Amino acid sequence: MDSIEEIMTRKSWIISLDALGDRDSEIFESLPGFQRLMREGAYLPHMRGVYPSLTYPSHATILTGRSPDSHRIVNNRRFQPGDQPGEWFWFEKDIQGDTLLRAAKRAGKRVSAFLWPVNAGAKIAGNVAEIFPTRPWHNGNLRVLMNSSPLLALRIQHRFGRLRKGTRQPQLDDFSMEGAHYLLERTNPDLFLLHLLDVDSNKHAYGTKSDQVKEAIRRMDRRVQEILSWREQREDRDNIDLIFLSDHSQIDTPILLFPLSDFEEEGILERKGNRVLRYRFIPQSCGGSCYVYRNPNIPTEEAMQVEEEMRVYLEKYAEETSGIEHVYFSEELRREGSDHKAFAQLEAWRGYAFSDFFRGSPGAAFEKDHHKANHGFHPDKQRYDAVFFALGPDFRVGIREEARNSLLNIAPTIAKVMDLPLKGATGKPILEILRDHVKQKTPPSRGKEGLNTKKNTAYRPSVDIDDLCS
């Protein structure tokens, strides 16, 4: 039985609804679970993401309040030249600087997490790691056990493993819901993290406006209702803040770009089969954008010349290649919060994405068949924002803030309500949605016309731009 002190302790449950975007609002705002979140809590429908707007950089930002260039989770996958593509950023130790998890542990709080990105190996009260097999020799169950709380992970696999069929959806999220509830009840954490991927998986597989995605959003609504019921059944329900958020949206991408093949044709790199053997510069896909890295072994006396030649080439490449919208160079990437250690980053037009593979390879064929939509674009693409909901003792009731906000502000907000000593965050607490910190002001408009266009730099057209790209 929990003590009175434990029951009264303020707790936060953070639920990530991967790839649920502002453009999905016409569906989810009509569903009962999301309507309850809007009615009983705070709703921010326009959350600016990070660059690149990928799952792992975004979730690291959600926990740190800092940009990818700062926490160094700059892509989903590591930069590993010669391995196309590289291994994922699975491990909690890879996040540089402070996180909500680390701050909570320093404050003596209990933390549990279920399939939260970049959290494998975290030493917390309960952890079931998100780490999947990516090589033929990997054993999926063994990888999870080695990087989780092993006894808890074993019990969850024994009880609920029958629900799961690899990474297929909705089976994976069905497993996650049962396993996360079990973990929550057994560890009773002060900070709890859960990652749900149904919408993201179906957007990739079928496109953003498919019937499969609409059904995935309806399933997500039912899961929202179920998580709300978990809270209602607890004695400490009045001391639990519930935060539902997303990390990015997605954009339909019927056309793939192949910078590896283009660089090979230009003599910038050489390959054998599908492996890069030698390179002066090499691209690494981020989906809707693409890093370009210089070989660090180029002698210093040659570096300036080859960089200038590559700068000229990339500007011409972007101008002459259909599908490339912009080239950011390292000095701009630092300002954008992306990886300034890259020489450049290519940004795709809406409707295009960068392949991880050479043109004509089996990997490229798989991408074409299984990635109808993508993310990783610059966060200021039209109708491409993430969303945020919060309800509980620390959040205002029925507040909808149309002004554009930022993923950078989530960690400082949670740190404030939990009184956590989070260090180094560049984001700021979102005071206007907190009960104890809001100033008296005119209630905000609930309509789209209330959008603060000064803060929200992303143009939001009345027509659906993806209709023009399909």
Side-chain angles (χ1 to χ4, degrees):
M1 183 73 178
D2 294 328
S3 68
I4 296 296
E5 183 180 353
E6 287 178 312
I7 291 174
M8 297 303 293
T9 299
R10 184 72 84 239
K11 296 174 179 175
S12 291
W13 297 357
I14 306 173
I15 318 300
S16 171
L17 312 177
D18 200 307
L20 187 72
D22 61 345
R23 63 165 294 144
D24 302 312
S25 61
E26 58 197 51
I27 302 173
F28 67 71
E29 287 184 5
S30 68
L31 299 174
F34 286 101
Q35 286 186 335
R36 182 176 171 189
L37 296 183
M38 292 186 284
R39 185 172 63 250
E40 298 183 12
Y43 172 34
L44 304 178
H46 307 294
M47 298 293 288
R48 185 182 191 270
V50 296
Y51 196 37
S53 49
L54 293 169
T55 297
Y56 279 40
S58 300
H59 280 81
T61 290
I62 288 165
L63 291 189
T64 63
R66 291 179 285 113
S67 66
D69 200 31
S70 174
H71 57 61
R72 298 308 302 161
I73 308 301
V74 296
N75 200 336
N76 280 345
R77 294 177 180 267
R78 299 175 182 277
F79 174 56
Q80 294 173 314
D83 271 331
Q84 302 301 128
E87 188 56 279
W88 287 60
F89 278 106
W90 302 118
F91 299 99
E92 187 268 347
K93 66 182 180 181
D94 290 326
I95 301 178
Q96 295 186 15
D98 205 9
T99 71
L100 287 175
L101 275 68
R102 295 166 188 171
K105 288 178 65 179
R106 288 198 308 275
K109 307 282 189 182
R110 281 178 290 188
V111 181
S112 292
F114 201 96
L115 297 194
W116 189 267
V118 204
N119 203 46
K123 305 302 181 185
I124 54 179
N127 186 25
V128 177
E130 179 171 287
I131 180 167
F132 302 127
T134 56
R135 301 290 188 260
W137 57 88
H138 287 163
N139 180 293
N141 289 334
L142 183 60
R143 293 197 99 195
V144 172
L145 289 175
M146 289 177 62
N147 294 283
S148 302
S149 303
L151 291 179
L152 277 168
L154 275 171
R155 291 186 191 125
I156 288 168
Q157 176 63 27
H158 177 71
R159 287 171 177 261
F160 310 115
R162 68 188 185 282
L163 299 174
R164 182 173 175 176
K165 295 183 179 179
T167 58
R168 289 175 58 187
Q169 293 288 6
Q171 293 89 343
L172 178 58
D173 277 9
D174 291 341
F175 166 78
S176 293
M177 288 291 290
E178 295 293 341
H181 192 208
Y182 181 90
L183 182 67
L184 188 62
E185 293 298 303
R186 294 306 180 276
T187 60
N188 191 23
D190 302 294
L191 178 62
F192 175 66
L193 308 170
L194 169 61
H195 182 212
L196 298 173
L197 298 102
D198 196 356
V199 172
D200 181 73
S201 298
N202 279 282
K203 283 186 174 181
H204 278 306
Y206 300 106
T208 63
K209 293 180 290 184
S210 62
D211 290 340
Q212 291 88 341
V213 166
K214 293 174 184 175
E215 185 53 42
I217 294 172
R218 295 186 189 101
R219 285 194 296 268
M220 194 68 74
D221 182 77
R222 293 193 288 272
R223 292 183 178 117
V224 167
Q225 295 180 66
E226 185 175 350
I227 292 168
L228 287 167
S229 74
W230 296 352
R231 178 174 174 264
E232 290 167 357
Q233 294 163 14
R234 294 174 60 100
E235 292 183 60
D236 59 353
R237 56 187 170 272
D238 293 334
N239 287 285
I240 298 173
D241 287 317
L242 254 179
I243 295 130
F244 293 88
L245 52 80
S246 65
D247 48 355
H248 53 71
S249 187
Q250 285 202 32
I251 292 172
D252 291 322
T253 53
I255 305 172
L256 285 176
L257 302 170
F258 296 95
L260 277 167
S261 294
D262 296 335
F263 281 26
E264 180 193 24
E265 292 171 7
E266 193 66 21
I268 297 168
L269 59 80
E270 299 176 24
R271 65 160 165 157
K272 182 177 182 180
N274 289 314
R275 292 182 60 84
V276 174
L277 296 180
R278 287 175 291 276
Y279 70 96
R280 284 177 289 150
F281 293 85
I282 187 171
Q284 185 195 22
S285 172
C286 306
S289 62
C290 181
Y291 288 126
V292 178
Y293 290 98
R294 177 174 69 80
N295 190 326
N297 297 319
I298 292 176
T300 305
E301 60 272 17
E302 298 179 21
M304 186 176 297
Q305 179 180 344
V306 298
E307 286 186 359
E308 182 56 33
E309 291 172 354
M310 191 63 180
R311 182 182 289 263
V312 172
Y313 167 74
L314 287 177
E315 289 173 343
K316 183 179 179 183
Y317 178 62
E319 183 179 343
E320 295 180 351
T321 303
S322 297
I324 299 180
E325 179 179 5
H326 190 72
V327 184
Y328 296 96
F329 292 99
S330 58
E331 59 272 18
E332 299 172 283
L333 295 181
R334 189 185 295 274
R335 292 195 298 270
E336 294 291 339
S338 191
D339 187 7
H340 78 275
K341 295 183 179 180
F343 176 73
Q345 189 165 355
L346 306 172
E347 172 70 15
W349 283 108
R350 203 177 191 96
Y352 294 80
F354 294 95
S355 175
D356 258 323
F357 302 95
F358 287 95
R359 187 181 289 110
S361 67
F366 180 88
E367 280 182 323
K368 183 69 174 176
D369 290 340
H370 294 84
H371 284 78
K372 308 295 186 186
N374 272 284
H375 44 100
F377 295 90
H378 191 283
D380 289 337
K381 281 283 196 289
Q382 299 97 330
R383 299 194 71 193
Y384 186 59
D385 284 344
V387 296
F388 177 94
F389 305 86
L391 79 165
D394 287 298
F395 294 95
R396 295 176 67 195
V397 175
I399 182 72
R400 174 174 179 152
E401 286 286 341
E402 290 286 354
R404 198 178 191 210
N405 219 288
S406 170
L407 292 192
L408 291 165
N409 297 332
I410 293 171
T413 303
I414 296 168
K416 186 171 186 66
V417 300
M418 292 189 71
D419 195 23
L420 297 180
L422 181 67
K423 301 174 183 177
T426 56
K428 304 297 180 184
I430 310 172
L431 298 180
E432 57 268 30
I433 66 173
L434 300 181
R435 290 193 185 195
D436 295 338
H437 301 280
V438 67
K439 296 178 181 178
Q440 293 298 320
K441 61 180 181 179
T442 303
S445 167
R446 290 181 176 270
K448 294 291 185 183
E449 66 280 4
L451 186 64
N452 185 332
T453 55
K454 183 177 180 180
K455 291 184 179 180
N456 193 332
T457 58
Y459 164 61
R460 301 181 186 283
S462 58
V463 297
D464 194 330
I465 286 184
D466 279 345
D467 285 337
L468 307 178
C469 297
S470 59

